[in-house]
């Protein structure tokens, strides 16, 4: 079973709107990462947030982490058509071998 | 190299044949990972190599799957007697020496798309 699960599975918005994706996980983690995958390509790392952090920013990206609820959110502000991609969260389990476990992803479509 | 290189990018094979998929990680990265991504699914962990340690093979779905990493660099994933359910994109990733915090940022290759007819 997946350690992390993204929600929603698919999201369709207009350019300029904000996009919010959520990730829930089951066990205690050391850190959580978000990756992006363009169609037919490999995954690209976006941002990493550690278990002792609550919020992190990178450009138009904002990630939050709530360890009490075992959840994280990725916010993309002022979305662009080029943001169209699938977004995955990956968790590294505390006390584990640090192999990131990925969810099924959220498919984001940004209409120009 | 500048990035993680995988070959072939596409492979079509007949059921029952063996296939080899190659991954050339970023120079100096000690950790190497193989994942499988089926259509509409997330990434399924297959195997993990770290330096000279014994690989973590816990994700391999059957004994038809095996992988090697020679000289701590290039890795080959071998699938014997391929089945139609093996059709997927096989992704390789590498990362630097894992930190105690477990904050391993992976760099992925573009993947090898395998189609078993």
């Amino acid at each position: 079973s997946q350690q992390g699960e993204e929600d929603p599975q698919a999201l369709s918005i207009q350019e300029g709107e904000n996009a919010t994706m959520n990730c829930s996980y089951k066990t205690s983690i050391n850190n959580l990462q978000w990756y992006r995958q363009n169609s037919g390509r490999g995954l690209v790392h976006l941002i990493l947030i550690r278990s002792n952090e609550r919020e992190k920013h990178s450009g138009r990206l904002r990630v939050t982490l709530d360890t009490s609820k075992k959840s994280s959110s990725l916010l993309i502000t002022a979305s662009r058509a080029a943001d169209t991609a699938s977004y995955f969260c990956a968790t590294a389990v505390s006390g584990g071998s640090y192999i990131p476990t990925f969810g099924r992803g959220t498919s984001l479509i940004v209409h120009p | 190299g500048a990035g993680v290189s995988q070959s072939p990018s596409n492979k079509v094979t007949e059921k029952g044949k063996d296939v080899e998929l190659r991954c050339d990680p970023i120079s100096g990265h000690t950790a190497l990972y193989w994942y499988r991504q089926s259509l509409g699914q997330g990434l399924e962990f297959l195997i993990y190599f770290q330096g000279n340690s014994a690989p973590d093979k816990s994700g391999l779905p059957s004994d038809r799957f095996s992988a090697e990493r020679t000289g701590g660099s290039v890795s080959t994933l071998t699938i014997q007697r391929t089945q139609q359910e093996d059709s997927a994109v096989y992704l390789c990733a590498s990362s630097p020496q894992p930190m105690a915090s477990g904050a391993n940022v992976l760099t992925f290759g573009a993947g090898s798309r395998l189609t078993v007819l």
Side-chain angles (χ1 to χ4, degrees), chain A residues 30-31 33 35 37 40-43 45 48 50 88 92 97-100 102-104, chain B residues 33 35 37 41-43 45 48 56 91 99-106 108-110:
Chain A
N30 279 322
N31 63 79
Q33 304 181 52
Y35 287 79
Q37 183 180 36
R41 307 287 296 273
L43 280 73
H45 178 258
L48 179 149
R50 300 177 193 278
F88 295 85
S97 61
Y98 309 128
I99 298 170
F102 290 81
R104 291 190 172 87
Chain B
Y33 313 72
Y35 290 87
Q37 186 177 29
Q41 300 294 312
L43 275 69
F45 165 72
Y48 164 67
D56 182 334
L91 292 163
M99 294 179 278
S101 63
N104 301 323
V105 174
L106 274 58
F108 280 84

Side-chain angles (χ1 to χ4, degrees), chain B residues 10-105:
Chain B
N10 280 287
K11 175 73 175 178
V12 179
T13 189
E14 293 180 345
K15 178 181 172 181
K17 295 285 180 68
D18 297 351
V19 296
E20 286 189 349
L21 307 176
R22 175 188 168 106
C23 173
D24 200 344
I26 291 175
S27 178
H29 278 191
T30 61
L32 186 147
Y33 313 72
W34 283 98
Y35 290 87
R36 176 168 74 174
Q37 186 177 29
S38 302
L39 188 64
Q41 300 294 312
L43 275 69
E44 175 188 6
F45 165 72
L46 297 177
I47 188 168
Y48 164 67
F49 295 90
Q50 169 48 39
N52 295 321
S53 302
D56 182 334
K57 304 179 181 180
S58 60
L60 294 179
S62 77
D63 58 8
R64 296 187 295 105
F65 288 72
S66 62
E68 291 184 339
R69 188 179 185 191
T70 54
S73 181
V74 171
S75 176
T76 301
L77 176 68
T78 301
I79 308 173
Q80 296 179 310
R81 305 180 303 281
T82 52
Q83 303 294 313
Q84 288 184 332
E85 60 262 29
D86 299 335
S87 296
V89 176
Y90 289 81
L91 292 163
C92 174
S94 67
S95 69
Q97 174 75 29
M99 294 179 278
S101 63
N104 301 323
V105 174

Side-chain angles (χ1 to χ4, degrees), chain A residues 13-44:
Chain A
I13 60 174
Q14 294 295 127
E15 211 167 28
E17 294 180 339
N18 295 341
T20 299
M21 289 158 270
N22 303 296
C23 171
S24 59
Y25 57 91
K26 298 172 184 173
T27 58
S28 295
I29 58 171
N30 279 322
N31 63 79
L32 185 144
Q33 304 181 52
W34 285 91
Y35 287 79
R36 164 194 168 127
Q37 183 180 36
N38 286 80
S39 179
R41 307 287 296 273
L43 280 73
V44 174

